[in-house]
Amino acid sequence: ELFSAIDDLAKQIEKEEILMGILNDMSFETNDDYVSRKWYEWTEEHAFIKRNVQKYIANPLNAFLIIKRGTAEIGLIEKRHPDVFEVYKERISKLRPSKADLRGAVEGLLRLQHIYKFHTYDFYEGIIGDELTRPALTPHDLFVIGMEAYDIQDYFFAMEYLHLTRELLGKKRDNYKEVDEVLLYTTLASGYNQTGFFEGAIDMILEMEPNKKVISEQTRQHIDVLLNSYWDLYNMYNHSLIIDYDAYLDDYGDKIVYNIEHEDILMSRACRGNLTKSPIELSLLKCRYVSNSPFSSIAPFKVEEANLDPYVALYIDVLYNNEIEYLMNELKPKLERAEMIGIDGERITSNARVAKNAWLYNDTDEIPMRIDRRIEDMTGLTQSTSEKLQVSNYGIAGHYNLHWDHSTKNEAEFDGGTGNRIATMMFYMSDVLIGGETVFPYLKLRITPDKRTAVFWYNLDHSGQGISVTRHAACPVALGSKWVLNRWIRERGQEFRRPCLPGKYKEIDDELLPNEMF
Ligand SMILES: O=C(O)CCC(=O)C(=O)O
Ligand SMILES: [Fe+2]
């Protein structure tokens, strides 16, 4: 699976070079301009890639294009030359990304748009946030995104992408007919139908002869006029919908209530930096140097309070570059798709968490032992019952939806004799250019990844009860590559280090969680 970790895309670029060789062979055999044109385009892109591979793959638009070249573009060649393709088929199939990768990549791009409200036209131009990151996409790139969006029933963005495709086709000639116009128009029409509008557009499309490859100029103009007027209406409808949702949350003002139904909006607002503490709340937070062990009295930890109650703190510069290198070397080859616990306690992969991770099992080396001791110095909590160190790398627009780290009442599993996850220590192993923040919307807290810094918080109160407002998420990575190191600290062994006191937080019943969370 390529889309769920950025690291794997570098390998795909190597495979693509072999694919280019095959493309070159095929261009001779087919004697087709289109195939040599593709070879030329890919070669140009590779000259661009070679300048900085890591930078190239850290851009979600590029990441999508890598996958799209190996799937949709190869697919076009297959369609044009089935016989020649047959000869190379087996070799090619080992070098191609999968359909699921294409789907995952598009889902990533759309996630960025949903969360950060990035505009489709900006993506077309290669803009992420405020940065121009690459040359413009082609009509066919947009078409592929639009068709995938349609398949996953994200009709709003499907229509945006397909309309833009149509608009561009009107301006530029698609000499090689990469975009299947009949499919484009029928999908646009179905999109209107799906959203409860515009039967008229569908009627027009139905009038087209199904096996007519090219729409006549007259029909096309007719449809254009129809679609354009409908499009304005459609846009108005959808934009007002989005604004309404935001207004709904505004009703609560500063007070954020636990509102599971609207958590996706809550996450979006937190990730966009629209949920922040007031100046008064911020003024209560302090920075200090902490030393509560012989070692740290020589080199005290720099601690920044991020939230007082429940306690969340940042430890600045507490992971060393050689340690990061060590962890990367040990665990990169072992990364696997991150899993979540499903409704029935089973392990599942899910769109709610797009990342790969790996656990460090051989933790008797000097470096992991050192990290262990440091966490113990930082927290005063024993590490003898902690889980193994876990490294995660996020994928294309990789993210992790709102969740608790601790298990809730209804989850029987988890304990394993060491108790619940009393606290979390999470180290950032990389900076991120845009996005990838860790957000705690109920605490109005957004933490920007800062290489070598750690975030620490308690998941359980003094009576062992889960603190519901620690619900947190990893915002999608919009530009860059995000690596984190997690250490989950367990209850057992902490009895004398963090004594039991009466509980104070009311735990939320996790039966209230909607199924879509998974
Ligand atoms: O990557 C992040 O910012 C948060 C990760 C997280 O919450 C987790 O892995 O449990
Ligand atoms: Fe977490």
Side-chain angles (χ1 to χ4, degrees):
E1 203 179 76
L2 270 178
F3 72 93
S4 57
I6 292 294
D7 194 50
D8 290 331
L9 288 163
K11 285 175 222 138
Q12 183 56 32
I13 287 179
E14 285 165 25
K15 288 186 181 171
E16 208 172 62
E17 298 201 343
I18 309 172
L19 269 174
M20 272 153 62
I22 298 177
L23 219 55
N24 196 25
D25 293 345
M26 287 204 293
S27 81
F28 287 114
E29 271 180 56
T30 59
N31 205 15
D32 178 359
D33 271 0
Y34 178 70
V35 184
S36 40
R37 169 89 219 157
K38 277 287 133 197
W39 175 83
Y40 179 75
E41 278 174 18
W42 288 29
T43 307
E44 267 196 327
E45 191 78 6
H46 270 251
F48 179 62
I49 293 170
K50 284 222 181 71
R51 278 193 252 156
N52 190 339
V53 176
Q54 289 308 320
K55 190 173 169 201
Y56 185 88
I57 57 178
N59 179 330
L61 294 170
N62 292 339
F64 158 72
L65 288 172
I66 295 170
I67 291 169
K68 184 241 174 189
R69 286 197 289 272
T71 51
E73 292 187 22
I74 294 276
L76 286 173
I77 293 169
E78 178 176 12
K79 221 159 120 193
R80 285 171 85 98
H81 304 286
D83 295 346
V84 175
F85 190 87
E86 195 56 39
V87 181
Y88 296 94
K89 196 171 179 158
E90 219 182 291
R91 276 173 66 199
I92 289 177
S93 69
K94 293 198 184 87
L95 300 165
R96 296 176 86 170
S98 67
K99 285 201 173 92
D101 282 317
L102 184 64
R103 171 71 45 100
V106 171
E107 280 170 345
L109 293 179
L110 300 180
R111 186 180 311 124
L112 291 177
Q113 296 194 260
H114 280 288
I115 297 266
Y116 297 115
K117 303 197 181 231
F118 289 158
H119 295 295
T120 301
Y121 202 84
D122 282 350
F123 270 9
Y124 155 62
E125 289 192 313
I127 294 170
I128 297 174
D130 300 321
E131 264 182 69
L132 180 63
T133 64
R134 59 156 292 116
L137 304 183
T138 65
H140 188 250
D141 297 336
L142 301 172
F143 179 63
V144 170
I145 301 175
M147 291 305 294
E148 287 292 327
Y150 184 87
D151 281 347
I152 56 174
Q153 297 169 14
D154 189 335
Y155 298 120
F156 177 75
F157 281 115
M159 297 299 266
E160 284 221 340
Y161 278 98
L162 296 177
H163 261 282
L164 192 54
T165 309
R166 177 175 141 273
E167 210 176 295
L168 293 172
L169 287 182
K171 290 182 196 152
K172 295 183 192 170
R173 286 185 66 80
D174 180 18
N175 288 334
Y176 296 103
K177 299 260 168 280
E178 283 191 302
V179 174
D180 180 338
E181 283 204 46
V182 175
L183 190 56
L184 171 65
Y185 276 82
T186 44
T187 310
L188 272 168
S190 321
Y192 284 125
N193 192 37
Q194 290 288 357
T195 45
F197 293 112
F198 319 125
E199 285 85 346
I202 298 175
D203 287 344
M204 281 311 305
I205 301 296
L206 292 179
E207 277 177 24
M208 288 172 6
E209 280 179 49
N211 50 6
K212 211 186 207 172
K213 285 280 179 293
V214 184
I215 301 167
S216 79
E217 199 48 40
Q218 199 191 358
T219 313
R220 184 186 165 128
Q221 277 171 16
H222 197 93
I223 295 171
D224 274 4
V225 171
L226 262 171
L227 291 185
N228 268 329
S229 56
Y230 289 140
W231 179 234
D232 289 343
L233 264 172
Y234 181 87
N235 252 336
M236 259 167 53
Y237 173 77
N238 275 290
H239 284 305
S240 64
L241 213 66
I242 287 173
I243 291 159
D244 271 349
Y245 269 133
D246 256 6
Y248 178 85
L249 278 178
D250 276 339
D251 286 346
Y252 294 111
D254 259 0
K255 205 167 133 260
I256 300 153
V257 294
Y258 191 82
N259 189 335
I260 210 96
E261 232 179 278
H262 292 277
E263 268 205 329
D264 50 340
I265 302 164
L266 211 55
M267 176 167 166
S268 164
R269 293 186 105 201
C271 289
R272 281 181 284 129
N274 282 356
L275 275 178
T276 46
K277 290 188 194 302
S278 69
I280 293 176
E281 287 168 317
L282 285 172
S283 71
L284 298 173
L285 303 171
K286 298 198 171 53
C287 288
R288 58 202 148 82
Y289 283 97
V290 175
S291 51
N292 44 17
S293 72
F295 169 75
S296 63
S297 63
I298 310 165
F301 299 112
K302 191 178 173 206
V303 181
E304 271 180 40
E305 293 166 349
N307 198 72
L308 292 178
D309 192 7
Y311 184 67
V312 183
L314 301 181
Y315 288 77
I316 314 298
D317 290 343
V318 280
L319 192 64
Y320 296 95
N321 286 333
N322 68 320
E323 293 168 344
I324 293 174
E325 262 163 51
Y326 169 90
L327 290 164
M328 295 260 200
N329 286 339
E330 288 288 310
L331 294 181
K332 253 188 193 178
K334 302 202 174 85
L335 289 172
E336 280 180 30
R337 176 70 194 258
E339 290 177 326
M340 293 175 68
I341 308 294
I343 304 163
D344 301 319
E346 78 283 20
R347 308 196 70 86
I348 51 165
T349 61
S350 154
N351 266 354
R353 185 183 192 185
V354 177
K356 283 191 176 157
N357 58 28
W359 301 86
L360 188 76
Y361 287 107
N362 62 329
D363 48 9
T364 49
D365 278 4
E366 194 201 324
I367 284 183
M369 301 260 282
R370 224 161 54 197
I371 296 175
D372 247 36
R373 232 175 303 137
R374 194 171 314 139
I375 298 174
E376 197 152 320
D377 284 348
M378 287 154 79
T379 61
L381 298 173
T382 180
Q383 295 308 302
S384 60
T385 52
S386 285
E387 293 173 45
K388 306 275 180 202
L389 291 167
Q390 186 202 60
V391 163
S392 299
N393 177 218
Y394 287 84
I396 301 174
H399 77 308
Y400 191 172
N401 274 354
L402 285 165
H403 66 278
W404 292 296
D405 282 356
H406 59 274
S407 67
T408 49
K409 280 191 224 118
N410 299 334
E411 292 165 352
E413 191 248 350
F414 228 68
D415 186 311
T418 53
N420 207 340
R421 286 174 171 169
I422 189 171
T424 301
M425 179 73 79
M426 186 181 77
F427 301 83
Y428 295 111
M429 295 167 67
S430 68
D431 298 316
V432 180
L433 291 169
I434 304 179
E437 294 89 350
T438 309
V439 290
F440 295 73
Y442 299 98
L443 307 180
K444 294 192 275 183
L445 187 57
R446 179 173 78 151
I447 301 163
T448 304
D450 185 10
K451 190 173 176 181
R452 305 181 52 211
T453 285
V455 193
F456 173 80
W457 69 91
Y458 282 106
N459 297 303
L460 308 180
D461 70 7
H462 285 272
S463 71
Q465 184 140 253
I467 306 173
S468 300
V469 287
T470 60
R471 245 173 126 64
H472 60 281
C475 300
V477 177
L479 193 63
S481 181
K482 180 181 175 187
W483 292 84
V484 297
L485 171 67
N486 264 308
R487 164 72 107 187
W488 286 291
I489 303 169
R490 297 285 188 142
E491 284 178 290
R492 290 295 96 78
Q494 320 300 355
E495 291 82 357
F496 298 106
R497 298 172 184 243
R498 194 196 192 219
C500 257
L501 292 171
K504 119 179 214 202
Y505 298 95
K506 195 170 150 19
E507 189 164 340
I508 287 157
D509 194 338
D510 67 351
E511 275 176 4
L512 293 174
L513 295 180
N515 290 345
E516 306 87 77
M517 272 196 43
F518 305 102

